[in-house]
Amino acid sequence: MSPLAAFNRVRRTLIGSPLPTSAQHEERYSNAEALAILSSDALSSVAYATQEIVLVLGLAGAAALPFTLPITGLIVGLMLIVATSYRQTIKAYPHGGGSYRVSQENLSPLSGLVAGAALSIDYVLTVAVSVAAGIAALTSYFPGLDDQRVLLCLVAVALVMVANLRGVSSSARLLSLPTYLFMGVVMTLLVAGAVKAGLGQLPTPAMADQQRLLEDANGRQGLMVIGPLLLMRAFSSGCAALTGIEAISDSVAAFRPVEWRNARRVLTVMVLMLALMFSGISALAHQSGVVATDNGPTLLYQLGERIFGDGLLLAVLQLATLLILLLAANTAYADFPRLAAFLAQDGYLPRQLASLGDRLVFSNGIFALSGFAGLLLVLFEGSVSRLIPLYAVGVFLSFTLSQAGMVMHWWRQRGRGWSGKALINGVGTVITGVVGMVLLVSKFTQGAWVVVVTIPILVTLFLRIRAHYDTVARRLRLAPDKRLRLPPSPTEGTGSPTVVLVGQLHRGTFEAIRFARTIASDLVAVHVDLGGGGSQAFVAQWQRQVPEVRLEVLPSPYRSLVDPVVQFVQGFEIEHRKDRDRFCVIVLPVFVTRRRWENLLHNQSTILLRNALRAQGTRVVTTVGFYL
């Protein structure tokens, strides 16, 4: 078995057989599945949001811990405001796109790119933080595994990646259970904790005991002053609870009809559950007086130990926490590939990111997200507390731009009730903008500066990529209605049977057609219909401009370029096998870029096709280069 065949067999085993494009409408979420997949990031944040507040407040000693509840209350209020604003966004933009599309269409293209860059960073951090937090839950229960934390994180990323490569329906069925298990066990924890507190079985320890625990764990002598800076840092760390709220607005098109109505229902349920669980865990932490330490047992584990004891329910809590945190990464896997596809369709990222894979998901986006998240986990050694300072800054930037874009949207439309809708989004803009500044100031030296530097770098990269595609489009452009002149065919009895591959009709493919015409005794142009809906327009253009060359349109229900062409060429060669003195010639147009890095912006399908043709025995495969 060849290495390629072995690879294909392993790939089919892991991710399944290809799905036809016609099945795309079936690959959508029910409301129950959407709550599990798209809300997992937000819901899972309750596993570490309170812990991060307590961790920061602990820097000032036990006297600062009572501020946990007021900070939680502020974050819950902010959560409700943001959710109300996004309910309006969902109805106004039922095809999805979220902050990127709203900012681009209502503010400016540059604002859209800033939102896209901020969201891209946030999605990568979502995977890294969620996986690191999930592995922290595992090592809390099995401390001996702590030395293998980074390796376990990478294995977890690989598992979530494979699950998502299997497609929407498969991943939804596989990954829904952890969300509902986590919600159930946390609600059980809150009810049991409330009962124990009411019966006086969950006493609050003395402040001196809490202080001793902090000193034993951290070994610090000096304490920070309880002041605005400390409270801002604690608030900004707790704002990790808001990450993921935008996920539903980015994926409205993934819902079953009526898409926007179902998306709003799921968003409402998600926010209510998030507010309840977050508030409840903070209240239990305040009541029980637990403290948090970096790389120590998680706060949720300590609460479970005090309320459930060291038994089965504690094990279930830790298992559910591990699974929901790994699944939280799945929210990013649902949204990042879609965002990357939007950017790629607009020419700001490589076009390959806009292509659906075998299982009707954006496979290239999934691979890219996994790679970037894995790199972060290695660089930050799988530490949640080191990753958190980078988190949420990009989220609130995209929140602010999205809400400002919606204000402009209502202002321009001025439909019924527009002033009230604009007011809601305007209030959201001001509040998320202020909170974003608080996050930036309080986290800047802890790592937020990395996000501040990375966003303009990404925007510059987006613009460079778009400039390249614009240059290529200008170089390739042909007059759309002008009939193209071809050189004469070879004299009768000479030439070779020739197939030329054409994706679009532009100067690059026209050069290949001209060359093929000069050598062909029987010339056929082949176009593969990948299901994008543009084949009819292409056929009409071909008949206007190159009517003398026969065109064959090959359907590709599985979006493969290679398989239909290889099958057609095989039949073409059999048809012309009787003439042993002439070889069939396959002509492939190819771009020749000025710089090597620009090759990454083109799919290099010519290489795959050439290798596949030679593997089946085609002897003459030639390329016609067009120099960009």
Side-chain angles (χ1 to χ4, degrees):
M1 182 185 297
S2 67
L4 180 61
F7 171 76
N8 286 333
R9 176 173 292 184
V10 172
R11 186 177 65 173
R12 292 286 175 264
T13 302
L14 290 176
I15 68 174
S17 301
L19 294 173
T21 306
S22 59
Q24 191 169 8
H25 69 281
E26 301 172 6
E27 293 290 295
R28 293 198 179 194
Y29 297 126
S30 66
N31 285 2
E33 291 170 342
L35 181 63
I37 301 300
L38 299 178
S39 303
S40 56
D41 178 18
L43 295 176
S44 69
S45 64
V46 303
Y48 54 82
T50 300
Q51 172 178 307
E52 293 303 318
I53 295 172
V54 173
L55 190 63
V56 174
L57 292 176
L59 297 175
L65 295 181
F67 286 98
T68 301
L69 287 183
I71 290 173
T72 298
L74 286 174
I75 294 173
V76 169
L78 179 60
M79 190 183 297
L80 297 176
I81 291 171
V82 172
T84 302
S85 299
Y86 269 108
R87 277 177 57 86
Q88 297 192 157
T89 302
I90 287 170
K91 187 173 182 180
Y93 285 85
H95 299 295
S99 299
Y100 167 65
R101 193 63 78 196
V102 172
S103 303
Q104 182 194 49
E105 293 185 1
N106 297 291
L107 298 177
S108 68
L110 183 60
S111 298
L113 293 181
V114 171
L119 276 178
S120 299
I121 294 170
D122 173 59
Y123 288 140
V124 174
L125 284 166
T126 293
V127 176
V129 171
S130 299
V131 167
I135 298 303
L138 179 65
T139 56
S140 292
Y141 201 75
F142 299 106
L145 295 175
D146 191 58
D147 291 340
Q148 304 299 322
R149 187 191 315 143
V150 175
L151 177 61
L152 291 171
C153 286
L154 295 179
V155 171
V157 169
L159 290 175
V160 178
M161 178 188 74
V162 170
N164 279 275
L165 287 172
R166 292 186 61 85
V168 169
S169 294
S170 295
S171 65
R173 288 191 295 268
L174 180 66
L175 300 175
S176 292
L177 179 60
T179 300
Y180 291 105
L181 177 63
F182 179 75
M183 290 166 63
V185 74
V186 169
M187 293 304 297
T188 303
L189 177 74
L190 298 183
V191 172
V195 171
K196 279 198 168 187
L199 296 175
Q201 298 175 7
L202 198 64
T204 303
M207 189 173 294
D209 294 334
Q210 289 180 298
Q211 184 63 40
R212 188 177 63 255
L213 287 172
L214 287 170
E215 290 174 356
D216 290 344
N218 300 324
R220 286 188 291 266
Q221 299 298 322
L223 296 174
M224 288 186 64
V225 176
I226 302 176
L229 182 59
L230 177 77
L231 297 178
M232 285 169 60
R233 282 186 58 187
F235 174 78
S236 62
S237 294
C239 280
L242 276 80
T243 57
I245 288 182
E246 81 289 344
I248 292 175
S249 71
D250 289 337
S251 298
V252 180
F255 284 79
R256 293 176 183 171
V258 176
E259 291 86 347
W260 67 267
R261 185 173 290 120
N262 288 327
R264 290 179 68 167
R265 288 170 179 166
V266 172
L267 176 63
T268 301
V269 173
M270 178 194 76
V271 170
L272 292 177
M273 289 299 301
L274 175 59
L276 178 60
M277 291 194 295
F278 179 41
S279 302
I281 289 174
S282 293
L284 286 180
H286 175 74
Q287 174 66 30
S288 62
V290 295
V291 298
T293 58
D294 190 14
N295 292 329
T298 63
L299 182 141
L300 194 58
Y301 174 81
Q302 294 179 63
L303 288 177
E305 195 173 34
R306 292 197 181 192
I307 295 169
F308 291 150
D310 190 11
L312 178 62
L313 281 176
L314 179 62
V316 173
L317 174 64
Q318 289 307 101
L319 175 62
T321 303
L322 168 64
L323 294 177
I324 187 66
L325 286 166
L326 297 181
L327 179 58
N330 198 66
T331 298
Y333 277 99
D335 282 342
F336 176 87
R338 292 180 185 277
L339 173 62
F342 284 131
L343 287 163
Q345 289 165 5
D346 293 341
Y348 294 113
L349 279 178
R351 294 276 166 78
Q352 301 94 300
L353 291 169
S355 300
L356 288 171
D358 287 348
R359 301 286 294 183
L360 294 173
V361 292
F362 297 106
S363 304
N364 291 325
I366 291 173
F367 286 126
L369 178 60
S370 302
F372 290 133
L375 180 61
L376 272 183
L377 287 165
V378 171
L379 292 177
F380 288 85
E381 299 178 340
S383 171
V384 178
S385 59
R386 291 178 61 189
L387 287 164
I388 281 288
L390 282 71
Y391 208 25
V393 174
V395 176
F396 276 89
L397 176 57
S398 63
F399 281 171
T400 304
L401 289 172
S402 176
Q403 302 313 307
M406 287 304 299
V407 172
M408 293 302 299
H409 174 80
W410 302 126
W411 173 265
R412 289 170 180 168
Q413 285 198 342
R414 301 197 186 189
R416 183 178 178 181
W418 74 271
S419 57
K421 296 174 181 177
L423 179 62
I424 292 173
N425 288 122
V427 171
T429 301
V430 173
I431 293 177
T432 55
V434 171
V435 173
M437 290 302 299
V438 170
L439 287 169
L440 182 60
V441 171
S442 59
K443 289 186 173 185
F444 189 81
T445 57
Q446 281 75 41
W449 65 268
V450 176
V451 178
V452 175
V453 171
T454 305
I455 288 176
I457 292 175
L458 281 179
V459 171
T460 302
L461 177 64
F462 293 159
L463 294 173
R464 286 288 302 275
I465 291 173
R466 176 61 184 265
H468 169 77
Y469 283 133
D470 288 345
T471 300
V472 170
R474 287 194 298 270
R475 292 275 292 124
L476 295 177
R477 188 175 296 123
L478 286 171
D481 297 317
K482 182 179 179 181
R483 182 162 177 169
L484 303 176
R485 297 180 58 184
L486 295 173
S489 301
T491 57
E492 188 174 351
T494 63
S496 301
T498 304
V499 174
V500 58
L501 182 68
V502 290
Q504 301 176 39
L505 191 52
H506 50 59
R507 291 181 62 190
T509 53
F510 181 53
E511 291 296 307
I513 296 167
R514 292 178 66 238
F515 167 75
R517 177 65 177 257
T518 62
I519 65 169
S521 59
D522 179 16
L523 176 60
V524 180
V526 170
H527 173 79
V528 180
D529 180 5
L530 298 175
S535 289
Q536 291 184 345
F538 176 80
V539 171
Q541 182 187 9
W542 186 271
Q543 291 173 347
R544 289 194 309 270
Q545 298 194 272
V546 202
E548 58 264 54
V549 177
R550 179 160 63 99
L551 176 67
E552 291 285 345
V553 178
L554 308 180
S556 181
Y558 296 95
R559 301 162 307 285
S560 169
L561 174 68
V562 173
D563 293 344
V565 173
V566 168
Q567 292 173 12
F568 178 84
V569 168
Q570 190 174 32
F572 187 79
E573 290 180 323
I574 291 173
E575 179 185 344
H576 292 84
R577 186 178 294 171
K578 58 184 179 180
D579 192 347
R580 296 180 177 273
D581 295 329
R582 298 178 186 174
F583 295 118
C584 292
V585 178
I586 313 303
V587 178
L588 306 177
V590 63
F591 295 145
V592 181
T593 59
R594 294 184 180 182
R595 305 171 187 87
R596 286 191 175 183
W597 69 267
E598 293 175 343
N599 287 324
L600 298 174
L601 304 181
H602 303 278
N603 59 22
Q604 307 302 314
S605 56
T606 300
I607 298 174
L608 297 175
L609 191 53
R610 184 170 55 198
N611 291 339
L613 289 169
R614 286 177 174 169
Q616 77 150 11
T618 300
R619 286 183 282 182
V620 184
V621 181
T622 187
T623 56
V624 177
F626 184 82
Y627 288 81
L628 298 172

